[in-house]
Amino acid sequence: MNYLKILEEITLELKSYTTVGQVTNTIPELAKINPDKFGIHLTTIEGDDFGIGDSQERFSIQSVSKALTVALAFSFLGEKIWKRVGVEPSGTAFNSLIQLEYEKGIPRNPFINAGAIVIADMLVSCLENPKEDFLRFIRLISGNPNIDFNLSVAQSEKDTRFRNAALGNFLKSFGNIENDVDEVLDFYFHQCSIEMNCVELANAFFFFANEGKTRDGKSILTTSQVKRLNAIMQTCGFYDESGEFTYKVGLPGKSGIGGGIVALYPKNFVVATWSPKLNKKGNSELGMHALELLTTKTEMSIF
Ligand code: GLU
């Protein structure tokens, strides 16, 4: 498969695609990003790399980090994490409060904000130095010791935290947060502020495609655990657009409001895209289209 040629074709086709999306306005610091950035990087399971465009420029991974926090919590706590967070699609927006009331504080899945805040609480409980330890985990799985938080982005999200603070407090009122809400939110804002480029993201997610082992062979999760997390990415990774992503792309993946998407084909490849303009559901408009073109052209989807 000539992946580089396919990525070049995709980039060319995207140039004539008219976008209507907007850069996120929920975190002021992220509203400053150049909306016209576009990068894509694909890493095969054999270890070949193909990248194009702004694939080496770092951006805020935001909710893409939720797949990594749940992986770390799953590795520590196993199946019991599912007592506090579900595995069902929510059908609601990423930051919605509405289901929490009638489902008594158990978020539908770990990828909506409410679920990710519960996962953050689990990590605050079981890590000695939560922020440092999580960063160490990201550096380990990506094989890159330079990955870091963007403290201005974390602060900007903290300054405008009203909805996430509401979710955190609401969860606490149902007894589904063990720690101090502000401490949990501080961890959550830092995990979201991590900056990586498409190459680094493809490396970090390699273990999801490689039966739980990183690119350099470190064991992170079991084959069964990775199967389960990939299944949740497939059904819940794109909020209330998860069905649409599955229909169009046919791969498990996770998006973030920084404009990043990571998708993977187990035992075949990991691909990361970055384009900051988001559609109405908060997913990268061009990133989704690029991945639709990728699986159409390569005929490589899990379906
Ligand atoms: N930090 C963002 C928030 O909580 C993450 C949302 C996303 O990337 O979808 O609003």
Side-chain angles (χ1 to χ4, degrees), residues 77-148:
L77 303 168
E79 290 291 320
K80 69 176 179 215
I81 67 175
W82 309 124
K83 289 202 168 91
R84 294 177 56 193
V85 55
V87 296
E88 294 295 340
S90 67
T92 57
F94 69 95
N95 54 7
S96 171
L97 283 132
I98 202 146
Q99 267 166 355
L100 268 187
E101 170 76 343
Y102 57 84
E103 296 188 356
K104 301 194 169 35
I106 304 293
R108 278 282 176 106
N109 67 66
F111 297 147
I112 49 174
N113 285 11
I117 291 169
V118 171
I119 297 289
D121 180 60
M122 293 178 195
L123 291 178
V124 168
S125 291
C126 69
L127 299 176
E128 206 168 317
N129 299 298
K131 287 188 274 188
E132 292 78 359
D133 294 352
F134 180 62
L135 201 52
R136 194 169 316 117
F137 173 68
I138 300 286
R139 290 171 175 169
L140 174 101
I141 57 175
S142 58
N144 186 331
N146 301 318
I147 289 165
D148 218 333

Side-chain angles (χ1 to χ4, degrees), residues 26-27 30 60-64 66 94-95 111 113 117 157 164 188-189 192-193 239 254-259 278 281-283:
T26 58
I27 302 177
L30 292 185
S60 195
I61 71 168
Q62 291 298 316
S63 281
V64 176
K66 294 172 181 170
F94 69 95
N95 54 7
F111 297 147
N113 285 11
I117 291 169
E157 186 163 9
N164 283 324
Y188 173 73
F189 299 146
C192 289
S193 83
Y239 311 119
K254 184 72 203 87
S255 64
I257 56 167
L278 309 179
K281 308 278 175 154
N283 297 312

